[in-house]
Amino acid sequence: MAEFVTGTTRGGAAWTPKFVESVDQKLCIGCGRCFKVCGRDVLELIGITEDGDIVDAFDDEAEKKVMSVKNAGNCIGCESCGKVCSKSCISHLPQAA
């Protein structure tokens, strides 16, 4: 049985944080709600060209804007980004202890 990093809430309940793992860019609509709720610089908006290449989100070649995991190590496991995502495209996993 795997053991995960756990914590305790202010009320004393056990809590297992789940950290951002990935963004399903096929489902993502680039609305930015997840980016706005995260104050830890974990996500970034990127652009994808018609050929599937990744470019700056504001590049003229960008056909679609989507979120990407920029700094996964900054995630504190609160899952706020996933809770505000209307497309349920952000995956989270607990971290092994």
Side-chain angles (χ1 to χ4, degrees), residues 1-96:
M1 184 173 182
E3 290 191 34
F4 299 108
V5 171
T6 59
T8 306
T9 67
R10 187 175 185 180
W15 174 60
T16 302
K18 293 182 183 173
F19 301 91
V20 70
E21 182 70 19
S22 63
V23 176
D24 184 337
Q25 294 176 342
K26 290 185 170 124
L27 294 176
C28 181
I29 59 172
C31 68
R33 292 172 71 186
C34 56
F35 179 82
K36 290 175 186 171
V37 76
C38 179
R40 308 281 310 166
D41 196 33
V42 174
L43 304 169
E44 75 175 327
L45 189 64
I46 61 170
I48 299 184
T49 67
E50 189 176 286
D51 297 328
D53 296 327
I54 296 172
V55 296
D56 184 84
F58 303 101
D59 188 304
D60 290 340
E61 297 293 317
E63 292 291 317
K64 179 181 179 182
K65 295 177 185 179
V66 296
M67 280 298 148
S68 177
V69 178
K70 177 182 176 185
N71 295 309
N74 289 353
C75 181
I76 61 170
C78 69
E79 298 181 77
S80 292
C81 56
K83 291 174 183 167
V84 299
C85 180
S86 64
K87 299 299 179 182
S88 300
C89 62
I90 301 175
S91 300
H92 297 84
L93 291 174
Q95 181 174 322

